[in-house]
Amino acid sequence: MSFLPSERFSVAPMVDVTDSVFRRMARVMTQRAMLYTEMIAAEALVHAKYYLIDFKEEELPCCLQLGSADPKKLAQATAVGVAHGYSAINLNAGCPSDKVQSGNFGAILMKTPELIAKCYQAMAEAADKAAPAGVSIPVSVKTRIGVDELDSEEFTFKLMGTIYEAGCRHLIIHARKAWLNGLSPKENRTIPPLDYERVYKIKAAFPELHVTINGGITTMEQCHEQLTHVDGVMLGRAIIDNPYLLASVDRELFGEDKPQLTREEVLARMVDLGAQLQSEGKALHFLCRHLLGLFNGCAHSRLYRRYLSEHMTKKEVRPDILLKAHQAMVQGMLDV
Ligand SMILES: Cc1cc2nc3c(=O)[nH]c(=O)nc-3n(C[C@H](O)[C@H](O)[C@H](O)COP(=O)(O)O)c2cc1C
């Protein structure tokens, strides 16, 4: 299978965000969504398997994102990832950071679509070999619609067509191009304009290709709308800003018939998760930082946020800091 059902809604790979603690936090709210790891350099994974130690079964379904331009290293890293139980493997061909560019991978790979095709093939072959009998571990590519001057519709078709010809049947397309000179990674997520139509055209031209659209999607309504054109939606920054969006995913997008957790119920479960993390020797702020936006959109949420950010890095902090932050918010409401 080249596209797991959970890919209908996915949380984007985000360095320094979508770590194991983030994914365990997300799992409290959605059991169905696909969760991506941060991008991990294939070389680092093969030589130092630190990242894999920090991966729990409860995070599944989870897709390991790899970065490299070396098909051999990518194949090795894919085999390691499959052996550790990841549900799917993804190649990063869209990240514009200087660090990634100096390693000649990420977005710069778009300049050589044939190399992406080779990387994909090496990874797909490695995934097939490493997968347990009867199990298929899909390999996908995450890319953009173009890079630098290579931004015509013709180029987008050549890029996607070359990857498709290599056998890839799942592309995640960030619907804007990357500017490699002069824009920071952050600017590269806002300045080049979004072009959803270009992505829809790709889907129409390659009906057997599963297309996940990414970039600028922030609400469930937008997810529903996008899913009338493509097979999957991937959200990144909207989940950082408003993680509670995840609580509606299973009902709204997977048709699950279970009641949606309230924010307060989520918070209570986070207290338990915090205690669990502490018993594993992890500092609580690794969880709290992902929960700063839990009450976004609610009255006086800034009081919750302020309390949490002021206290979460203190020594001796305990999981009930989350309840205290919530109390600060409720008190703010009563004081009005
Ligand atoms: C903090 C941060 C880190 C990111 N790290 C990665 C990464 O490791 N790999 C990747 O493919 N994209 C990375 N991205 C890009 C996102 O996956 C996504 O493509 C981008 O944010 C656009 O989606 P959005 O508008 O829903 O945020 C990162 C984005 C952010 C905000």
Side-chain angles (χ1 to χ4, degrees):
M1 195 189 286
S2 52
F3 182 82
L4 298 171
S6 48
E7 295 280 4
R8 188 170 159 78
F9 179 97
S10 54
V11 179
M14 290 184 280
V15 163
D16 283 338
V17 179
T18 51
D19 53 16
S20 175
V21 172
F22 175 94
R23 297 190 299 264
R24 289 166 76 181
M25 178 277 293
R27 272 291 164 251
V28 169
M29 291 180 267
T30 167
Q31 282 75 59
R32 300 294 300 274
M34 179 64 87
L35 305 176
Y36 279 66
T37 67
E38 309 166 80
M39 184 196 71
I40 298 172
E43 282 77 359
L45 191 73
V46 171
H47 297 301
K49 302 193 170 97
Y50 159 79
Y51 301 97
L52 294 167
I53 298 162
D54 212 17
F55 168 64
K56 298 249 178 307
E57 219 175 300
E58 69 197 63
E59 298 166 27
L60 295 172
C62 181
C63 177
L64 170 67
Q65 189 189 56
L66 296 173
S68 175
D70 179 342
K72 268 196 196 137
K73 285 279 181 314
L74 283 164
Q76 287 170 345
T78 298
V80 173
V82 171
H84 275 78
Y86 284 94
S87 324
I89 313 285
N90 174 262
L91 171 67
N92 181 334
C95 176
S97 85
D98 286 347
K99 203 169 144 204
V100 163
Q101 267 188 73
S102 64
N104 269 328
F105 60 99
I108 207 164
L109 276 176
M110 282 186 274
K111 298 192 174 188
T112 50
E114 297 74 19
L115 181 54
I116 302 183
K118 274 193 194 140
C119 290
Y120 165 79
Q121 279 172 333
M123 293 168 74
E125 210 172 286
D128 279 349
K129 269 195 205 145
V135 178
S136 148
I137 303 292
V139 175
S140 60
V141 176
K142 180 170 180 277
T143 187
R144 294 186 177 220
I145 57 175
V147 55
D148 293 341
E149 296 77 19
L150 299 172
D151 61 357
S152 64
E153 196 166 299
E154 195 189 346
F155 173 76
T156 310
F157 273 79
K158 177 180 179 316
L159 173 65
M160 308 304 169
T162 307
I163 306 172
Y164 182 85
E165 287 303 317
C168 181
R169 291 294 176 270
H170 179 203
L171 282 177
I172 298 150
I173 308 178
H174 184 174
R176 53 165 62 91
K177 73 168 184 174
W179 259 122
L180 295 185
N181 285 318
L183 291 188
S184 68
K186 197 172 171 192
E187 288 167 332
N188 256 309
R189 293 193 282 268
T190 48
I191 293 179
L194 285 164
D195 186 350
Y196 293 140
E197 288 299 327
R198 182 84 64 93
V199 180
Y200 305 156
K201 283 183 188 167
I202 294 293
K203 175 64 197 174
F206 302 93
E208 287 180 18
L209 177 69
H210 291 100
V211 173
T212 293
I213 197 162
N214 169 242
I217 305 167
T218 56
T219 66
M220 269 304 136
E221 292 71 34
Q222 290 169 1
C223 291
H224 280 296
E225 212 299 291
Q226 291 289 359
L227 287 167
T228 64
H229 302 280
V230 291
D231 306 285
V233 286
M234 172 181 270
L235 275 66
R237 288 163 294 176
I239 304 298
I240 302 179
D241 294 345
N242 177 20
Y244 186 65
L245 202 63
L246 294 175
S248 57
V249 164
D250 292 1
R251 273 183 78 86
E252 288 264 351
L253 299 178
F254 293 95
E256 292 262 330
D257 190 20
K258 59 178 186 189
Q260 179 175 329
L261 293 177
T262 63
R263 283 183 163 89
E264 285 72 17
E265 285 167 337
V266 171
L267 195 74
R269 296 202 190 183
M270 293 303 161
V271 173
D272 296 342
L273 177 57
Q276 175 65 33
L277 291 169
Q278 281 196 319
S279 75
E280 295 168 18
K282 291 199 170 82
L284 206 56
H285 68 87
F286 287 115
L287 173 64
C288 293
R289 72 191 186 104
H290 297 312
L291 292 170
L292 287 167
L294 184 63
F295 288 90
N296 267 4
C298 300
H300 301 283
S301 61
R302 72 191 156 75
L303 296 175
Y304 160 86
R305 194 184 177 93
R306 189 197 298 159
Y307 187 97
L308 198 53
S309 50
E310 277 174 5
H311 293 82
M312 69 187 188
T313 49
K314 287 192 176 152
K315 262 192 172 175
E316 311 298 331
V317 67
R318 293 181 358 186
D320 66 356
I321 181 192
L322 290 163
L323 301 176
K324 289 181 180 157
H326 181 245
Q327 273 160 16
M329 183 179 113
V330 173
Q331 194 56 48
M333 287 177 199
L334 297 176
D335 287 348
V336 173

